[in-house]
Amino acid sequence: MSEFSKEDLERKITLEKGDEAPAFELENIDGVKINLKDFAGKKVILYFYPKDNTPGCTTEACEFSAAYDDFIADGAVIVGVSPDSVKSHANFAQKQNLKHILLSDPNKEVASLYGVWQVKKNYGKEYLGIVRSTFVIDESSKILKIYKSVKAKDHAAKVLADLAKLD
């Protein structure tokens, strides 16, 4: 018998292109609360990742950071979200010299709002975790594009290339 509720098993990304992006407020690496509305007038690249300092997540974060200036030039901010603590994010950002914003979602509330906190399977075991996903949100908080279950390597470059086509 599964230890997960029917709701857990059915949870998935139900947001679609054109939907209003769910509002949120989470702490950054300095413990400052950041809201989606803080980015009004800019595009937001909101990416969810499972865990700081793991190979795939490090690859993804470093690639987004390496392309930071290009995203800024396109009028977009990059925001990474995971359940890790503010302290973990601060250490991760410092260790990897990350330029973009990292937000802590320890209660998985924002991950749940965006439908990325789901049942995952690994080596036959089921567990709840973040499904690596990215949302491109426009200047008025509408979702322009959703990337589901992405591969970390080269994802930032794909998002940047697609960003130019979304205008």
Side-chain angles (χ1 to χ4, degrees):
M1 184 71 179
S2 174
E3 63 189 88
F4 304 108
S5 69
K6 185 174 189 241
E7 179 184 284
D8 287 336
L9 296 172
E10 293 175 348
R11 185 178 288 143
K12 61 183 188 240
I13 297 172
T14 57
L15 294 172
E16 296 178 3
K17 178 181 173 182
D19 286 350
E20 184 80 18
F24 62 80
E25 181 177 83
L26 296 171
E27 291 184 359
N28 69 7
I29 63 172
D30 298 315
V32 175
K33 290 184 178 181
I34 303 294
N35 293 281
L36 179 59
K37 65 183 177 184
D38 293 338
F39 306 113
K42 296 181 180 179
K43 288 185 185 80
V44 178
I45 310 305
L46 182 66
Y47 77 96
F48 291 87
Y49 66 99
K51 187 154 181 57
D52 292 339
N53 292 304
T54 56
C57 297
T58 300
T59 295
E60 184 177 31
C62 288
E63 288 183 6
F64 270 119
S65 191
Y68 178 83
D69 292 338
D70 294 325
F71 279 101
I72 295 296
D74 278 349
V77 296
I78 306 164
V79 179
V81 177
S82 88
D84 293 301
S85 68
V86 168
K87 183 178 180 183
S88 176
H89 279 347
N91 291 339
F92 182 46
Q94 182 178 10
K95 181 178 179 183
Q96 300 301 331
N97 199 25
L98 301 178
K99 298 178 182 178
H100 61 281
I101 299 165
L102 296 180
L103 299 178
S104 176
D105 186 18
N107 298 323
K108 296 94 174 169
E109 291 171 6
V110 176
S112 293
L113 280 175
Y114 279 81
V116 302
W117 183 249
Q118 300 177 22
V119 173
K120 297 169 67 173
K121 289 183 182 181
N122 193 19
Y123 298 110
K125 290 192 172 202
E126 288 185 336
Y127 62 97
L128 284 168
I130 297 284
V131 174
R132 191 184 309 276
S133 306
T134 301
F135 297 80
V136 179
I137 302 168
D138 75 7
E139 297 85 350
S140 61
S141 296
K142 297 280 188 216
I143 297 173
L144 290 175
K145 187 165 179 73
I146 301 171
Y147 301 83
K148 301 176 184 180
S149 301
V150 301
K151 302 291 181 222
K153 185 157 178 41
D154 300 324
H155 177 59
K158 178 168 181 34
V159 174
L160 184 61
D162 288 349
L163 191 58
K165 298 174 197 171
L166 293 172
D167 290 331

